[in-house]
Amino acid sequence: MQVLTDKGAMRAWSREQRRAGRRVALVPTMGSLHAGHLSLVDAARQHADVVVVSIYVNPTQFDRADDLDAYPRELDADLARLGDRVDAVFAPRDMYTRGGPAHETWVDVTALTQTLCGAARPGHFRGVTTVVSKLFHVVEPDVAVFGDKDYQQRRVIERMVRDLDLGVEIVAAPLVRDPDGLALSSRNARLSPEARADALAISRALFAARDAAGNGETDATALAAGARAVIEAAGGQVDYVEAVDEATLLATPRLDRPVVLAVAAFFGDVRLIDNIRLS
Ligand code: PAF
């Protein structure tokens, strides 16, 4: 596995692969890798000949300085976790030019970012789409893999790629859960044992809503309200619990179309997100 920290060296490596006729996959991450990330790598392997994982904690997508500071950084452990699974790791010291004029060019997907995490975390998706487009320009992948735990993020990236003709195939990989139901996230490591136990209410609430929908309930607003009550009863501080159209991400009152029930809630000071398809 090659570890590249320089944008030019990364681009040259990638171009060399493509010149040799190899298809390049990128798995963008912020590190602190877990089994969910490794499943993205496995998905990438199915779509390309060589796999690059990028590891970069992107400051522009954090709306709170304390959240950015607390975000785990463990490059050596991440490299050990990846081992031989990947061909290259791109771990830039910085993605934004230091010194000289400030960064002032941004990529903004306007409508899809108005709801859910976009509403709760102003500027978050502008940071995500900007850094992902920068990563695409540096790595020049044929395909990039995004996990469906960050469902809105995956949709926003797909729209960016379509609207800007970026020519990168986006592969969606399923959300991965611990055996007890908690969605895998780098933030889980910051949960106290008590908060982690309480946070199981999120998946419990989502599974209950999915089962109710499977049994014929079509009132999406009621399902979202029921899920919110379960999470709040366990001590979660809810940012949102919303049933949304899976394409537009707009709230929908009935299960008369493909709908995703999406949650963001704090347990302790850790913000967790999760989602499930209801139809
Ligand atoms: O999902 C993430 O880890 C980040 O939002 C991403 C896509 C790596 C951009 O910084």
Side-chain angles (χ1 to χ4, degrees), residues 18-51:
R18 296 180 71 170
R19 249 195 310 276
R22 300 188 194 104
R23 214 169 127 78
V24 177
L26 171 66
V27 180
T29 81
M30 296 205 298
S32 193
L33 304 178
H34 50 64
H37 293 111
L38 299 183
S39 78
L40 304 184
V41 170
D42 293 343
R45 192 54 79 192
Q46 288 170 21
H47 290 267
D49 304 300
V50 291
V51 177

Coordinates of all heavy atoms in Angstrom, one line a residue, residues 18-51:
R18 N -4.4 4.7 -14.4 CA -5.4 4.7 -15.5 C -4.7 4.5 -16.9 O -5.2 3.9 -17.8 CB -6.1 6.1 -15.5 CG -7.0 6.1 -14.2 CD -7.7 7.4 -14.1 NE -8.8 7.4 -15.1 CZ -9.8 8.4 -15.1 NH1 -9.8 9.3 -14.2 NH2 -10.7 8.3 -16.0
R19 N -3.4 5.0 -17.0 CA -2.6 4.8 -18.2 C -2.4 3.3 -18.4 O -2.4 2.8 -19.5 CB -1.3 5.5 -18.1 CG -1.2 6.7 -19.0 CD 0.3 7.2 -19.2 NE 1.0 7.4 -18.0 CZ 0.9 8.5 -17.3 NH1 0.2 9.5 -17.6 NH2 1.6 8.6 -16.1
A20 N -2.3 2.6 -17.3 CA -2.1 1.1 -17.3 C -3.4 0.4 -17.6 O -3.4 -0.9 -17.5 CB -1.4 0.6 -16.1
G21 N -4.5 1.1 -17.7 CA -5.8 0.5 -18.0 C -6.5 0.1 -16.8 O -7.5 -0.7 -16.9
R22 N -6.1 0.6 -15.6 CA -6.8 0.2 -14.4 C -7.9 1.2 -14.0 O -7.6 2.4 -14.1 CB -5.8 0.0 -13.2 CG -4.8 -1.0 -13.5 CD -3.9 -1.3 -12.3 NE -2.7 -2.1 -12.7 CZ -1.5 -1.6 -12.9 NH1 -1.3 -0.3 -12.5 NH2 -0.5 -2.3 -13.3
R23 N -9.0 0.7 -13.6 CA -10.1 1.5 -13.1 C -9.8 1.8 -11.6 O -9.5 1.0 -10.8 CB -11.4 0.7 -13.2 CG -12.6 1.4 -13.5 CD -13.7 0.4 -13.9 NE -14.9 0.7 -13.1 CZ -15.7 1.7 -13.3 NH1 -15.5 2.5 -14.3 NH2 -16.8 1.8 -12.6
V24 N -9.9 3.1 -11.3 CA -9.6 3.6 -10.0 C -10.8 3.9 -9.2 O -11.7 4.7 -9.6 CB -8.7 4.9 -10.1 CG1 -8.4 5.5 -8.7 CG2 -7.4 4.7 -10.8
A25 N -10.9 3.4 -7.9 CA -12.0 3.7 -7.0 C -11.5 4.5 -5.9 O -10.4 4.3 -5.4 CB -12.6 2.4 -6.5
L26 N -12.3 5.5 -5.4 CA -12.0 6.3 -4.3 C -13.0 6.1 -3.2 O -14.2 6.1 -3.4 CB -12.0 7.8 -4.6 CG -11.8 8.8 -3.5 CD1 -10.5 8.7 -2.8 CD2 -12.1 10.2 -3.9
V27 N -12.5 5.9 -2.0 CA -13.4 5.9 -0.8 C -13.0 7.0 0.1 O -12.0 7.0 0.8 CB -13.2 4.5 0.0 CG1 -14.2 4.5 1.2 CG2 -13.5 3.3 -0.9
P28 N -13.7 8.2 0.1 CA -13.4 9.3 0.9 C -13.8 9.1 2.3 O -14.9 8.6 2.6 CB -14.2 10.5 0.3 CG -14.8 9.9 -1.0 CD -14.9 8.5 -0.8
T29 N -12.9 9.3 3.3 CA -13.2 9.2 4.7 C -12.5 10.3 5.5 O -11.6 11.0 5.0 CB -12.6 7.8 5.3 OG1 -11.2 8.0 5.6 CG2 -12.8 6.7 4.4
M30 N -12.9 10.4 6.7 CA -12.2 11.3 7.7 C -11.5 10.5 8.7 O -11.1 11.0 9.8 CB -13.2 12.2 8.3 CG -13.9 13.1 7.3 SD -14.6 14.7 8.0 CE -15.7 14.1 9.2
G31 N -11.2 9.2 8.3 CA -10.4 8.4 9.2 C -11.1 7.8 10.4 O -12.4 7.8 10.4
S32 N -10.4 7.3 11.4 CA -11.0 6.7 12.6 C -11.8 5.5 12.0 O -13.0 5.4 12.3 CB -11.8 7.6 13.4 OG -12.1 7.1 14.6
L33 N -11.2 4.7 11.2 CA -11.9 3.7 10.4 C -12.5 2.6 11.2 O -11.9 2.1 12.2 CB -10.9 3.2 9.3 CG -10.3 4.2 8.4 CD1 -9.3 3.6 7.5 CD2 -11.4 5.0 7.7
H34 N -13.6 2.1 10.8 CA -14.3 0.9 11.5 C -14.8 0.0 10.4 O -14.6 0.2 9.2 CB -15.4 1.4 12.4 CG -16.3 2.4 11.7 ND1 -17.1 2.1 10.7 CD2 -16.5 3.7 12.0 CE1 -17.9 3.1 10.3 NE2 -17.5 4.2 11.1
A35 N -15.5 -1.0 10.8 CA -16.0 -2.0 9.9 C -16.9 -1.4 8.8 O -16.9 -2.0 7.7 CB -16.7 -3.1 10.6
G36 N -17.6 -0.4 9.1 CA -18.4 0.3 8.1 C -17.5 0.8 6.9 O -17.9 0.6 5.7
H37 N -16.4 1.4 7.3 CA -15.5 1.9 6.2 C -14.9 0.7 5.4 O -14.8 0.8 4.2 CB -14.3 2.7 6.8 CG -14.7 4.0 7.5 ND1 -14.7 4.2 8.8 CD2 -15.2 5.1 6.9 CE1 -15.1 5.4 9.1 NE2 -15.4 6.0 8.0
L38 N -14.6 -0.4 6.1 CA -14.0 -1.5 5.4 C -15.0 -2.1 4.5 O -14.6 -2.6 3.4 CB -13.5 -2.6 6.4 CG -12.4 -2.1 7.4 CD1 -11.9 -3.2 8.3 CD2 -11.2 -1.4 6.7
S39 N -16.3 -2.0 4.8 CA -17.3 -2.5 3.8 C -17.4 -1.6 2.6 O -17.6 -2.1 1.5 CB -18.7 -2.6 4.5 OG -19.3 -1.3 4.6
L40 N -17.1 -0.3 2.8 CA -17.0 0.6 1.6 C -15.8 0.2 0.7 O -15.9 0.2 -0.5 CB -16.8 2.1 2.0 CG -17.9 2.7 3.0 CD1 -17.6 4.1 3.2 CD2 -19.3 2.5 2.4
V41 N -14.7 -0.2 1.4 CA -13.5 -0.6 0.6 C -13.9 -1.9 -0.2 O -13.5 -2.0 -1.4 CB -12.3 -0.8 1.6 CG1 -11.2 -1.5 0.9 CG2 -11.9 0.5 2.2
D42 N -14.6 -2.8 0.5 CA -14.9 -4.0 -0.2 C -15.8 -3.7 -1.4 O -15.7 -4.3 -2.5 CB -15.6 -5.0 0.8 CG -14.7 -5.5 1.8 OD1 -13.5 -5.4 1.7 OD2 -15.2 -6.0 2.9
A43 N -16.8 -2.8 -1.2 CA -17.6 -2.4 -2.3 C -16.8 -1.8 -3.5 O -17.0 -2.1 -4.7 CB -18.7 -1.4 -1.9
A44 N -15.8 -1.0 -3.1 CA -15.0 -0.3 -4.1 C -14.2 -1.3 -4.9 O -14.1 -1.2 -6.1 CB -14.0 0.6 -3.4
R45 N -13.8 -2.4 -4.2 CA -13.0 -3.4 -4.9 C -13.8 -4.1 -6.0 O -13.3 -4.5 -7.0 CB -12.6 -4.4 -3.8 CG -11.6 -5.4 -4.1 CD -10.3 -5.0 -4.6 NE -9.3 -4.4 -3.7 CZ -8.2 -3.8 -4.1 NH1 -7.9 -3.6 -5.4 NH2 -7.4 -3.3 -3.2
Q46 N -15.1 -4.2 -5.8 CA -16.0 -4.8 -6.8 C -16.2 -4.0 -8.0 O -16.7 -4.4 -9.0 CB -17.4 -5.1 -6.1 CG -17.3 -6.3 -5.1 CD -18.6 -6.4 -4.4 OE1 -19.7 -5.9 -4.8 NE2 -18.6 -7.0 -3.2
H47 N -15.8 -2.7 -7.9 CA -16.1 -1.8 -9.0 C -14.9 -1.2 -9.7 O -15.0 -0.4 -10.6 CB -17.0 -0.6 -8.5 CG -18.4 -1.0 -8.2 ND1 -19.4 -0.9 -9.1 CD2 -18.9 -1.5 -7.0 CE1 -20.5 -1.4 -8.5 NE2 -20.2 -1.7 -7.2
A48 N -13.7 -1.7 -9.2 CA -12.5 -1.1 -9.8 C -11.3 -2.0 -9.6 O -11.4 -3.0 -8.9 CB -12.2 0.2 -9.0
D49 N -10.2 -1.7 -10.3 CA -9.0 -2.6 -10.2 C -8.1 -2.1 -9.0 O -7.4 -2.9 -8.4 CB -8.2 -2.5 -11.5 CG -9.1 -2.9 -12.7 OD1 -9.5 -4.0 -12.7 OD2 -9.3 -2.0 -13.5
V50 N -8.1 -0.8 -8.8 CA -7.3 -0.3 -7.6 C -8.2 0.6 -6.8 O -9.1 1.3 -7.3 CB -6.0 0.5 -8.1 CG1 -5.0 -0.5 -8.7 CG2 -6.4 1.6 -9.0
V51 N -7.9 0.6 -5.5 CA -8.7 1.3 -4.5 C -7.8 2.3 -3.7 O -6.8 1.9 -3.2 CB -9.4 0.3 -3.5 CG1 -10.2 1.1 -2.5 CG2 -10.3 -0.6 -4.3

